[in-house]
Amino acid sequence: MNVHSGPIKKGRKYDHVLNGAREIFLRDGFEGASVDAIAKAAGVSKATLYSYFSEKSILFIEVARTECSRQADHAMADLDLSAPPREVMSRAGHHMMEFLLSDFGQQTFRTLIAESARFPDLGREFYMSIHERVQETMGTYFDRANARGELKIDDPELAADQFHELCKASLWPRIMFHVQDSYTEAEVDRIVDAAVDMFMARYGA
């Protein structure tokens, strides 16, 4: 299956469809979500839904991409790109964890893992949407911090990926695999603080 099927039509009911789909995907997962349920939650007819999205997989990827973009925009608006690296990386790390540990983030990753064998394009599209947003957000700051002599990063893309993975250490897999079902702010702080320490030990100028 290829999820690329041309540009997505946008119109008056587009946001209603996305919001309804987000609600149902979060509640039922990709496989369990029916077009009828999505249309009902969106307050549109099935014909209207199909006029925007010809396949459920395309709708799922668009919901995920939209949420990632919203989270990235929120993170960028909260980052002071003139601030010292430790402050910026700490804020960025907490934003990453907020998304990864959210109900939507957990459901999205579990859905992609469950469906990746049958629908590999779902995973590829979601990975690229996240990767591009992380690279765009962090790359902007790395360029400025490098120019100020605060960081020394030769490969910004790799550095961004490394920090993203450091923030996922320990707590995120425990939540994803139901080793624990809840977490505290102190646990998140512990992970992010350690990620920033390791990042600065490698890239601090």
Side-chain angles (χ1 to χ4, degrees), residues 7-8 18 28 31 47 49 54 74 78 82 102 104-105 107 124 129 135 154 161 165 173-174 186 196 202:
I8 295 174
L18 280 189
D28 300 336
E31 181 64 24
L49 191 153
S54 59
H74 174 62
D78 189 48
S82 64
S102 68
F104 181 83
Q107 181 65 63
R124 295 191 193 105
S129 68
Q135 297 302 331
D154 297 324
D161 286 343
E165 292 303 313
R174 291 178 65 85
V196 174
R202 172 64 179 86

Side-chain angles (χ1 to χ4, degrees), residues 1 5-7 15 27 49 106 131 145 149 167 170 176 185 193 201-203 205:
M1 181 195 70
S5 58
D15 288 338
R27 187 189 72 190
L49 191 153
Q106 291 181 50
H131 190 262
C167 289
S170 183
M176 289 300 294
E185 186 176 334
D193 288 348
R202 172 64 179 86
Y203 293 113

